[in-house]
Amino acid sequence: MTTALDDHPIHSWLTDMDGVLVHEQSALPGAADFIAALQRFGRPFLVLTNNSIFTPRDLRARLSRSGFDIPEESIWTSALATARFLAEQAPGSAAYVIGEAGLTSAMHEEGFILADSDVEFVVLGETRTYSFESISRAIRLITNGAKFIATNPDVTGPSAEGPLPATGSVAAMITAATGIHPYYIGKPNPLMMRTALNRIGAHSETSVMIGDRMDTDVKSGLEAGMRSVLVLTGSTSEDEIAQYPYRPTAVLDGIADVVPLVEALTPLESVELDED
C-alpha cells in the first residue's frame, strides 16, 4: 500500500461519493471528519457521482441522513456536467431527454428546451423506468440526425434485489439499432474532472481526486492531470490494482487516512497569495 502524495501543496479536493464517503446509506469511517477538515481549512472541494438520477438537493439530503452535511453547490453529478458541456456546445437548443429529475432539472437550468421532435441532442441518463416508447423515439431521432449524448457509461446500477441495467446498457441497445455511439460525459471521461475543476476555480496541478475505482476515478483523474488517491472501501481491491497499466498516486485503506493529509498538505496562506 502506497501513501505518498509528496509534499506539494493541495489547494482543492475532488472525491467520489459511493464507496468513498458512503456505502448504501451509511457513512464510511472518517467521511464526516474528512468533510469537516476541508471546511476547517477552507479547501475548495466537490463530491462527484456518475449517478444522474438525483439532484444535488436530493443527494445532500441523502448525505445528511448518513450523518454529515455538504452544501448543494459542493456536489457535482454527471447530469450537471452533461448539461454544462452541452450549453457550451449549443446553448438554448432543444434536446430529447431520457432520465429523471437530476438530468431534466440540470438541462432546464442550463436553458435547454426539452422536446420530442426537431431536437439537436438525444440525452440519455439513468432512470428506473426506461420505456420501450422512449427508447424507440430516441432511435428515430438519432437516425434522423440528432447527436447522441449519454451521461455516463455505467452498464449496471445497484439495488436491493441485485444489479439493474443502467445508462451504458441502454446506450448499447440504441447503438445497436442506429450504428451511432454516444459521447459519454461522466467518468472515466476526464471532461467530468475538468468541468468540476472549472466549477470551483481549481487547477489540476494542485488538486487531488479520491475514488474507489481504478477504471473510472483513478483513470479520469490521471487523464485530467491530477494526483489520485485510491481508497480500498469500494469496488477495487488492492490485489486488482496490478491488472491496470496505470497506478494511483497513493493507495489508502479508507477516507479516514486522508483526513490528516488535508492539514499536512494545505498550502500556507502566503504561498496561495503568491500563486494567485
Side-chain angles (χ1 to χ4, degrees):
M1 183 171 66
T2 61
T3 59
L5 277 176
D6 67 43
D7 57 358
H8 192 63
I10 297 174
H11 291 244
S12 309
W13 297 78
L14 304 182
T15 178
D16 187 36
M17 184 170 69
D18 293 297
V20 178
L21 301 180
V22 295
H23 176 69
E24 301 293 341
Q25 297 297 318
S26 300
L28 288 165
D33 295 333
F34 173 65
I35 298 299
L38 294 175
Q39 294 170 333
R40 183 166 67 254
F41 291 101
R43 296 299 87 207
F45 73 94
L46 281 180
V47 175
L48 277 60
T49 177
N50 258 3
N51 191 314
S52 65
I53 291 178
F54 302 108
T55 66
R57 182 176 299 177
D58 297 330
L59 292 172
R60 180 185 183 184
R62 174 191 171 189
L63 293 170
S64 179
R65 289 192 295 271
S66 298
F68 50 98
D69 186 43
I70 295 178
E72 290 179 38
E73 58 270 21
S74 295
I75 298 173
W76 190 242
T77 71
S78 64
L80 294 173
T82 297
R84 179 88 295 273
F85 168 74
L86 293 178
E88 294 171 353
Q89 302 299 309
S93 58
Y96 180 63
V97 176
I98 300 176
E100 297 198 16
L103 181 55
T104 56
S105 297
M107 294 292 287
H108 273 303
E109 289 172 5
E110 290 289 357
F112 280 90
I113 299 166
L114 303 191
D116 58 10
S117 62
D118 300 320
V119 298
E120 182 81 8
F121 302 103
V122 167
V123 183
L124 176 67
E126 191 172 351
T127 174
R128 300 292 167 81
T129 57
Y130 288 114
S131 73
F132 184 79
E133 180 182 355
S134 62
I135 293 170
S136 298
R137 184 175 294 278
I139 289 169
R140 290 192 291 269
L141 290 169
I142 292 167
T143 300
N144 289 331
K147 301 173 184 67
F148 187 16
I149 304 293
T151 57
N152 62 285
D154 302 53
V155 294
T156 61
S159 77
E161 294 77 26
L164 295 172
T167 308
S169 294
V170 178
M173 185 190 309
I174 295 173
T175 295
T178 63
I180 305 296
H181 292 271
Y183 182 60
Y184 291 109
I185 304 298
K187 299 176 293 181
N189 188 343
L191 180 66
M192 177 85 167
M193 303 293 108
R194 295 195 179 279
T195 56
L197 292 171
N198 290 341
R199 183 176 174 86
I200 57 175
H203 299 284
S204 58
E205 295 86 354
T206 55
S207 299
V208 168
M209 175 63 195
I210 307 169
D212 69 304
R213 293 183 64 112
M214 286 289 291
D215 57 348
T216 56
D217 304 316
V218 171
K219 182 180 180 182
S220 56
L222 172 71
E223 293 183 352
M226 289 186 286
R227 286 169 286 174
S228 61
V229 174
L230 178 74
V231 294
L232 302 175
T233 48
S235 296
T236 301
S237 69
E238 189 169 12
D239 292 340
E240 292 172 325
I241 297 172
Q243 299 174 10
Y244 295 88
Y246 48 86
R247 296 289 182 270
T249 312
V251 181
L252 300 172
D253 286 332
I255 194 67
D257 297 311
V258 185
V259 176
L261 299 178
V262 176
E263 178 178 7
L265 296 176
T266 290
L268 298 174
E269 183 178 0
S270 59
V271 173
E272 288 198 287
L273 291 174
D274 289 344
E275 292 195 0
D276 290 343

